[in-house]
């Protein structure tokens, strides 16, 4: 009887160890790891106004696209991994890209395409590089001539420069 | 003494039953990669059934490989035996280790690597890792592949014992999970690694511009694995050939800056590099017809055109011979061709 009890205890311990293994392996680190690391996190949500419509990275795309009173060209592509389609709407002066999460399209990026428009802070493609810090402050990460400002709600402003002049402006989400 | 024997026998019997039960449970709980459920997850494991066949060419890389080259067609037109070892988002290190494993089974004359995946310098997703790695047979190579591929939060032990990762799937089990676990209705999804797509979804707006990048330098890590693949091919007497599939979309855009780096790399290392984006017309591709997803990948009609075009290069420039006079090989490929044609006609 004593031996039987020991065997049962031994088997119970093995089962407990296996169960513990299974539980431990389930634990995943869900911490947000999306920040650049170098840039400052300000209280600003970076966004741009186009044709009177405020466009915010991370915002729902459908309403924004419908509100812009201008024709656009349209592309959509599937993904090699995962479901949903990414979409791209190209207007005269901006391009909006979207990602699909659970059936809803969200704005993932807004690109300024030319100098026909300015950002809400009056930065334009072709502006001097010095204007970037003057208009948006020095709370940014700079790498390869690219200024990255990280704002609230996972929004980012990224300004690309070459030869001391702004060449491209992007508003990003995540 | 009797009690001791009883104890030993009981414990041994219990452990054997437990291990067997866990093995069965693991088979049931693991995701089933089949024609109807996540077919692109079956690609890695399907290779082993054909590893005994002599392949002159191994195609290796991401989805741009397994949707672009049709081994059955290459055999039919040129008598060249080949296999595609590709997976969705198969990154440079995945490709390196799959190639290392391939060389343990066979010695191909040519290895064709698609360069798009070189843009990724870090592991991208567990989903992609699982699709590439879960189907690999256990070996030191697989261990190295897992170590090189894991994203944050993934553990080596969950690849060793997938039940640790998938045990929560019991809530979503279907009848097919049980049948597939015991090898019932276990259908092959690919044609020698080529995953057929017969739909036609035209590309209405050809992508001419990708989003601006912070840095156009191809990552050191992926280029290191390209170096390793080059060395591996050299040690095994295979010629490494670089290609870029003829598809371009805003999401998977091929930048001029990357093209320059690959051109330079190929030249410095004496490798052939074929960018099929530059010869779309010559290949005869029509993106209103030859793509199943608006230009991201070729469908079967586009893939056959590209295979036909590249077959001539393999024969004329790389000197691969028609081996259709080999009776055994020919019989094997005849069977494969019939399966492929049937799958294509069913759509």
């Amino acid at each position: 009887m004593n031996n039987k009890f020991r065997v049962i205890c031994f088997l119970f311990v093995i089962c407990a160890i296996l169960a513990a293994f299974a539980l431990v392996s389930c634990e995943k680190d869900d911490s947000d790891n999306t920040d650049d690391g170098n840039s400052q996190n300000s209280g600003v949500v970076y966004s741009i106004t186009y044709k009177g419509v405020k466009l915010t990275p991370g915002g729902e795309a459908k309403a924004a696209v419908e509100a812009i009173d201008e024709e656009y060209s349209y592309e959509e592509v599937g993904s090699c991994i995962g479901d949903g389609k990414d979409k791209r709407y190209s207007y005269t002066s901006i391009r909006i890209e979207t990602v699909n999460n659970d059936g809803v399209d969200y704005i993932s990026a807004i690109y300024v395409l030319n100098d026909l428009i300015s950002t809400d802070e009056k930065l334009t493609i072709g502006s001097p590089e010095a204007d970037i810090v003057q208009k948006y402050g020095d709370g940014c990460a700079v790498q390869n001539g690219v200024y990255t400002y990280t704002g609230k709600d996972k929004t980012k402003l990224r300004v690309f420069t070459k030869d001391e002049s702004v060449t491209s402006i992007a508003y990003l989400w995540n | 003494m009797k009690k001791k024997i009883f104890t030993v026998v009981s414990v041994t019997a219990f452990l054997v039953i437990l291990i067997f039960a866990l093995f069965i449970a693991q088979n049931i709980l693991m995701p089933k990669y089949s024609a109807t459920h996540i077919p692109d997850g079956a690609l890695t494991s399907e290779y082993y059934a054909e590893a005994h066949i002599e392949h002159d060419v191994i195609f290796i890389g991401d989805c741009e490989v397994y949707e672009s080259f049709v081994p059955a067609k290459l055999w039919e037109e040129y008598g060249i035996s080949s296999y595609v070892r590709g997976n969705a988002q198969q990154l440079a290190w995945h490709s390196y280790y799959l190639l290392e494993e391939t060389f343990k089974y066979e010695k191909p004359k040519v290895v064709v690597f698609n360069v798009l995946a070189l843009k990724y310098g870090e592991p991208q997703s567990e989903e992609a890792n699982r699709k590439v790695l879960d189907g690999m047979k256990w070996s030191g190579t697989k261990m190295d592949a897992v170590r090189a591929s894991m994203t944050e939060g993934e553990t080596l032990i969950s690849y060793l014992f997938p039940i640790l990762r998938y045990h929560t799937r019991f809530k979503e089990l279907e009848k097919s999970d049980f049948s597939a676990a015991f090898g019932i209705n276990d259908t092959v999804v690919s044609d020698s690694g080529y995953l057929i797509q017969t739909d036609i979804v035209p590309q209405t707006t050809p992508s001419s511009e990708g989003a601006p990048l912070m840095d156009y330098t191809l990552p050191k890590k992926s280029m290191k694995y390209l170096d390793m693949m080059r060395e591996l091919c050299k040690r095994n007497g295979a010629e490494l050939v670089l290609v870029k599939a003829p598809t371009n979309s805003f999401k998977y855009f091929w930048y001029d800056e990357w093209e320059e780096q690959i051109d330079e790399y190929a030249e410095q290392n004496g490798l052939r590099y074929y960018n099929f984006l530059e010869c779309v017309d010559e290949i005869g591709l029509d993106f209103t017809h030859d793509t199943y997803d608006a230009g991201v990948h070729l469908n079967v009609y586009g893939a056959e055109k590209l295979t036909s075009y590249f077959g001539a290069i393999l024969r004329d420039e790389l000197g691969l011979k028609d081996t259709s006079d080999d009776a055994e090989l020919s019989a094997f490929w005849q069977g494969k061709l019939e399966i492929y044609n049937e799958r294509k006609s069913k759509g």
Side-chain angles (χ1 to χ4, degrees):
Chain A
M1 188 66 184
N2 199 23
N3 267 349
K4 275 185 188 169
F5 179 72
R6 261 187 257 158
V7 170
I8 289 166
C9 286
F10 175 73
L11 299 179
F12 179 78
V13 168
I14 287 180
C15 289
I17 290 170
L18 284 170
F21 248 131
L23 286 174
V24 167
S25 71
C26 288
E27 287 176 11
K28 294 206 75 177
D29 182 5
D30 291 329
S31 60
D32 187 354
N33 191 35
T34 54
D35 204 342
D36 277 354
N38 297 323
S39 53
Q40 300 294 308
N41 223 327
S42 68
V44 180
V45 174
Y46 289 104
S47 62
I48 184 169
T49 306
Y50 184 66
K51 302 273 178 190
V53 179
K54 189 175 181 182
L55 301 169
T56 307
E60 280 198 36
K62 192 181 172 194
V65 168
E66 282 174 359
I68 299 173
D69 186 20
E70 187 186 325
E71 281 191 15
Y72 56 79
S73 71
Y74 173 71
E75 293 169 76
E76 67 171 34
V77 296
S79 173
C80 294
I81 288 281
D83 300 321
K85 286 186 172 169
D86 290 3
K87 295 169 184 169
R88 182 193 243 194
Y89 303 85
S90 298
Y91 297 86
T92 307
S93 295
I94 61 156
R95 179 177 290 148
I96 298 173
E97 290 184 2
T98 72
V99 288
N100 188 282
N101 284 344
D102 297 327
V104 180
D105 291 334
Y106 297 95
I107 297 173
S108 59
I110 305 150
Y111 298 100
V112 176
L113 299 178
N114 50 44
D115 60 3
L116 299 176
I117 61 163
S118 301
T119 67
D120 295 359
E121 292 76 15
K122 307 296 176 203
L123 190 72
T124 309
I125 289 180
S127 292
E129 185 174 352
D131 282 8
I132 302 169
V133 171
Q134 191 191 334
K135 291 178 187 301
Y136 291 96
D138 58 4
C140 58
V142 185
Q143 188 189 333
N144 301 328
V146 183
Y147 292 67
T148 302
Y149 292 86
T150 302
K152 256 175 50 174
D153 300 339
K154 299 181 182 178
T155 61
K156 279 194 183 109
L157 168 67
R158 195 162 275 169
V159 185
F160 298 75
T161 65
K162 193 176 178 184
D163 300 332
E164 298 183 353
S165 147
V166 173
T167 56
S168 188
I169 302 168
Y171 293 82
L172 307 169
W173 186 46
N174 277 329
Chain B
M1 185 63 181
K2 269 187 182 176
K3 280 181 185 174
K4 271 189 183 172
I5 291 171
F6 171 78
T7 307
V8 170
V9 169
S10 301
V11 170
T12 308
F14 174 79
L15 288 176
V16 168
I17 292 168
L18 183 68
I19 289 167
F20 183 71
L22 286 173
F23 177 73
I24 297 291
Q26 179 166 285
N27 278 0
I28 292 170
L29 288 167
M30 278 191 71
K32 301 302 174 295
Y33 301 121
S34 63
T36 50
H37 292 79
I38 329 173
D40 57 350
L43 297 175
T44 293
S45 64
E46 288 192 353
Y47 168 71
Y48 305 108
E50 288 184 39
H52 65 288
I53 297 298
E54 202 173 309
H55 298 117
D56 283 340
V57 181
I58 292 291
F59 294 95
I60 198 146
D62 53 16
C63 49
E64 289 200 345
V65 165
Y66 71 72
E67 298 295 24
S68 294
F69 300 101
V70 191
K73 189 77 182 165
L74 197 56
W75 174 264
E76 185 183 36
E77 286 192 17
Y78 297 96
I80 295 171
S81 177
S82 65
Y83 197 94
V84 180
R85 295 215 76 182
N87 283 281
Q89 214 175 70
Q90 182 172 304
L91 306 182
W93 39 96
H94 293 138
S95 287
Y96 171 78
Y97 289 110
L98 283 177
L99 188 58
E100 184 179 272
E101 183 194 50
T102 305
F103 279 126
K104 290 178 184 172
Y105 288 91
E106 55 178 317
K107 299 290 177 206
K109 294 185 177 76
V110 173
V111 171
V112 179
F113 174 69
N114 187 68
V115 293
L116 180 65
L118 292 171
K119 72 176 189 166
Y120 297 107
E122 295 299 330
Q124 296 295 302
S125 73
E126 185 191 10
E127 186 182 355
N129 283 340
R130 290 285 171 184
K131 283 182 177 177
V132 179
L133 301 170
D134 272 348
M136 263 182 105
K137 281 193 176 174
W138 265 106
S139 65
T141 298
K142 179 167 179 171
M143 294 278 278
D144 292 340
V146 171
R147 281 198 200 97
S149 308
M150 285 187 297
T151 53
E152 205 178 314
E154 288 189 80
T155 56
L156 181 62
I157 196 165
S158 72
Y159 282 89
L160 277 165
F161 303 107
I163 192 171
L164 299 176
R165 174 66 183 85
Y166 296 120
H167 67 275
T168 52
R169 271 198 80 239
F170 73 89
K171 295 170 199 160
E172 44 193 86
L173 288 179
E174 295 173 12
K175 199 176 169 184
S176 58
D177 284 299
F178 293 91
S179 54
F182 297 100
I184 303 164
N185 298 328
D186 203 6
T187 51
V188 174
V189 303
S190 81
D191 293 285
S192 302
Y194 169 68
L195 197 61
I196 197 166
Q197 303 284 353
T198 53
D199 289 350
I200 298 171
V201 178
Q203 183 177 35
T204 49
T205 316
S207 287
S208 56
E209 200 181 337
L213 302 182
M214 286 188 68
D215 187 354
Y216 291 87
T217 311
L218 289 166
K220 278 182 186 167
K221 182 174 173 180
S222 57
M223 293 306 284
K224 182 188 89 175
Y225 277 94
L226 179 59
D227 277 338
M228 288 164 68
M229 267 189 272
R230 184 171 51 78
E231 288 297 325
L232 186 65
C233 286
K234 200 174 168 185
R235 284 199 302 277
N236 286 278
E239 177 168 354
L240 178 65
V241 173
L242 307 180
V243 295
K244 169 65 190 79
T247 44
N248 219 2
S249 63
F250 73 86
K251 192 172 175 184
Y252 302 103
F253 195 77
W254 185 248
Y255 293 87
D256 290 344
E257 289 84 349
W258 294 347
E259 176 71 5
E260 284 167 20
Q261 290 166 67
I262 296 299
D263 263 339
E264 195 180 327
Y265 183 89
E267 197 179 325
Q268 279 175 357
N269 292 287
L271 304 179
R272 295 171 204 265
Y273 170 47
Y274 301 96
N275 181 348
F276 297 121
L277 281 166
E278 292 170 354
C279 35
V280 166
D281 293 337
E282 212 176 317
I283 296 166
L285 290 169
D286 169 6
F287 281 99
T288 63
H289 178 268
D290 295 334
T291 167
Y292 71 89
D293 54 5
V296 183
H297 304 98
L298 297 177
N299 58 20
V300 66
Y301 314 107
E304 285 195 347
K305 288 178 186 174
L306 177 61
T307 302
S308 187
Y309 181 85
F310 189 52
I313 291 173
L314 289 169
R315 180 193 61 198
D316 301 338
E317 296 182 22
L318 284 109
L320 291 186
K321 300 273 185 282
D322 183 337
T323 52
S324 55
D325 55 350
D326 181 322
E328 198 181 331
L329 204 54
S330 195
F332 170 80
W333 277 107
Q334 195 52 43
K336 295 293 295 180
L337 198 54
E338 281 168 21
I339 295 168
Y340 167 72
N341 284 330
E342 193 185 334
R343 211 193 295 270
K344 186 182 164 191
S345 65
K346 280 181 182 169

